[in-house]
Amino acid sequence: MSSIHIEAKIGEIAETVLLPGDPLRAKFVADNFLTDVVCYNKVRNMFGYTGMYKGKRVSIQGSGMGMGSAAIYVNELITTYKVKNVIRVGTCGAIQKNIKLGQVLLAMSASGDSGANAAYFNGMHYAATADFDLLLRAYQIAKDLNIHTIQGSIFSTDTFYDDIPNRWDIWEKHGIIGVEMESQILFTIAKRLGAKALSLLTVSDNIVTGEASAAKEREQSYMDMMKIALELA
Ligand code: HPA
């Protein structure tokens, strides 16, 4: 038996899954950091791999961009494949002036504008929150690796492009540190289905200052984040 969007057999996916948006990122990490790698999913080219990292079995699965896509993979991973820990590894735009490109953020909670998330709660407001145990361990691992992290709340949006004036002012004022497109629904679904979730995010741009990182810089800081995630797995 497999699920609709993942063709893995039961047992082919590890208890802990790292979840980048980009399936080629999943391939890159599998090729460069894991041993004994098996590619368990090619449906829609949304690649998923299982391999070993320092003696531990770990999977890495592309989620696609946005909460609509991510929700499908998170649901199927937890429901069909009994995944226990889902750790997003992605990028975000910072919305505090003092946050630099390349910094690693640990998301404590995610506000957002996702229609899917609101639908679960009849339009009321659920505080989608990371798993504390994973968060604490990620924080300690980063410290041990000498990687500076910023802990705080983020915002997950359905719209990358918009023309809303001063859209992020109110969120900046309320201490939101970054904007991305997947974590809110990840936290909600994981909690509903009894799994643990966390989001590690590298800052690829700063929406307030307009800075954006070159591809090469992005690669280096992304690797810092991956190290934390792999140690956590
Ligand atoms: N918006 C949404 N998601 C993002 C952004 C952004 O500006 N930057 C990186 N991920």
Side-chain angles (χ1 to χ4, degrees), residues 91-93 157 160 179-181 204-205 207:
T91 56
C92 71
T157 182
F160 187 88
V179 178
E180 51 83 90
M181 302 186 70
S204 59
D205 52 290
I207 297 172

Side-chain angles (χ1 to χ4, degrees), residues 4 82 115 152 181:
I4 295 173
K82 310 299 174 209
M181 302 186 70

